[in-house]
């Protein structure tokens, strides 16, 4: 999560945005590579192995987030005990996956950016008009194409890669990149997304992770300690814990340091 990575991501965002903005037909040409004109379908979406691989990719990504999620939930059940894993790890992993794979995709762009998916546009035997990535005025009503939630979730694996030991970090980044590309290629092969949907999903996710890493770990004015995160979660969870203990006939008193 250094400046070199940021400059590469910003450069790719500029290139992809401009190139596919000026020549939007490139999205159609890339999608056509996976389309069978004779059968008038994207045949790989009917392949059981490919479908399993798609599901498995999401299981892998969420499995990487599961320790942080479990630690967060357990902390709210027992705020009198310290977090099971470092506080900054919990904050970093949960904030980044919620933002990239949740809020920015499913709750924001995919709900209000009406770009139809490849499988439903006229060029691939659908009934909707193709629109370029930058145009939100498509006729898709919900769960639209731009940008890819599964692509964002797959590329989110950059977040746990950023926490790998320094000696292993280059390998972890490489694995996250290949994982994101493979998952995104599957979404294109199923007719679920155009290239720009998955490319921009990956780039936006990387930028979210880069900013969160800087905020939590790097920048002196904002960086946190594990103890600060633990204490903040204790304060947040304590009223509910105290109420529950009172209902059980126990008085635990006001919040205290753990």
């Amino acid at each position: 999560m250094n400046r070199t990575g940021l400059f590469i991501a910003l450069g790719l965002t500029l290139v992809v945005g401009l190139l596919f903005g000026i020549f939007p037909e490139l999205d159609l040409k890339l999608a056509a590579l996976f389309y069978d004109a004779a059968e008038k379908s994207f045949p790989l979406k009917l392949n059981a192995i490919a479908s399993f691989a798609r599901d498995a990719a999401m299981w892998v990504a969420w499995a990487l987030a599961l320790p942080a999620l479990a630690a967060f939930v357990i902390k709210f059940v027992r705020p009198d005990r310290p977090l099971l894993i470092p506080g900054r790890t919990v904050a970093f992993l949960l904030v980044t996956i919620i933002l990239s794979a949740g809020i920015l995709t499913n709750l924001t762009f995919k709900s209000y950016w009406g770009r139809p998916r490849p499988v439903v546009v006229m060029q691939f035997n659908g009934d909707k008009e193709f629109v370029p990535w930058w145009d939100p005025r498509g006729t898709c009503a919900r769960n639209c194409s731009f940008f890819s939630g599964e692509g964002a979730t797959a590329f989110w694996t950059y977040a746990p890669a950023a926490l790998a030991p320094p000696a292993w970090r280059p390998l972890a980044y490489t694995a996250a990149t290949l994982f994101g590309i493979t998952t995104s290629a599957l979404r294109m092969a199923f007719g679920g997304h155009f290239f720009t949907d998955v490319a921009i999903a990956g780039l936006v996710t990387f930028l979210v992770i880069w900013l969160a890493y800087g905020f939590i770990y790097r920048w002196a004015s904002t960086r946190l300690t594990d103890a600060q995160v633990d204490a903040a979660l204790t304060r947040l969870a304590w009223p509910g814990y105290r109420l529950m203990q009172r209902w059980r006939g126990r008085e635990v008193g006001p919040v205290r340091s753990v």
Side-chain angles (χ1 to χ4, degrees):
M1 290 293 124
N2 54 29
R3 290 185 179 180
T4 300
L6 175 64
F7 292 149
I8 292 173
L10 291 176
L12 287 174
T13 302
L14 182 63
V15 170
V16 170
L18 286 177
L19 183 63
F20 285 80
I22 297 171
F23 305 106
E25 66 274 10
L26 291 175
D27 256 335
L28 290 170
K29 290 180 179 180
L30 290 175
L33 297 176
F34 303 100
Y35 182 71
D36 187 330
E39 296 292 332
K40 296 183 178 180
S41 70
F42 290 86
L44 201 60
K45 71 179 181 178
L46 302 176
N47 185 290
I49 295 176
S51 295
F52 175 79
R54 172 194 175 183
D55 293 337
M58 296 299 96
W59 299 338
V60 168
W62 282 101
L64 292 173
L66 186 59
L69 181 60
F72 181 83
V73 171
I74 292 171
K75 182 66 176 178
F76 269 72
V77 176
R78 292 300 305 268
D80 56 325
R81 296 182 177 179
L83 281 163
L84 297 179
I85 61 177
R88 288 181 299 178
T89 299
V90 173
F92 178 64
L93 295 182
L94 293 186
V95 165
T96 52
I97 198 167
I98 289 170
L99 281 176
S100 60
I103 293 175
L104 290 178
T105 52
N106 294 299
L107 295 181
T108 306
F109 279 90
K110 286 170 68 64
S111 297
Y112 300 102
W113 206 274
R115 187 186 203 189
R117 297 175 183 271
V119 72
V120 299
V121 300
M122 297 175 182
Q123 290 83 350
F124 303 120
N125 200 40
D127 59 357
K128 297 186 182 299
E129 184 178 353
F130 166 80
V131 294
W133 72 266
W134 50 265
D135 191 348
R137 298 169 297 176
T139 54
C140 173
R142 58 182 297 274
N143 194 26
C144 304
S145 191
F146 186 81
F147 50 89
S148 171
E150 290 183 34
T153 303
F155 280 109
W156 170 82
T157 53
Y158 279 126
L163 302 182
W168 290 92
R169 208 165 291 168
L171 180 61
Y173 283 142
T174 301
T177 301
L178 294 175
F179 183 70
I181 290 173
T182 302
T183 303
S184 297
L186 277 175
R187 295 304 292 130
M188 291 180 63
F190 292 159
H193 287 288
F194 292 103
F195 173 80
T196 46
D197 298 328
V198 294
I200 293 176
L203 293 167
V204 168
T205 298
F206 180 88
L207 293 174
V208 166
I209 293 169
W210 193 92
L211 289 171
Y213 188 90
F215 187 94
I216 294 172
Y217 287 97
R218 183 186 295 119
W219 302 329
S221 60
T222 61
R223 65 187 173 204
L224 305 173
T225 65
D226 294 328
Q228 285 175 323
V229 175
D230 200 327
L233 291 177
T234 298
R235 290 192 297 270
L236 187 62
W238 199 265
Y241 174 70
R242 189 178 184 186
L243 182 64
M244 181 60 68
Q245 294 304 309
R246 184 177 297 170
W247 178 76
R248 296 173 61 186
R250 298 175 55 195
E251 181 57 53
V252 297
V255 64
R256 60 182 182 274
S257 300
V258 295

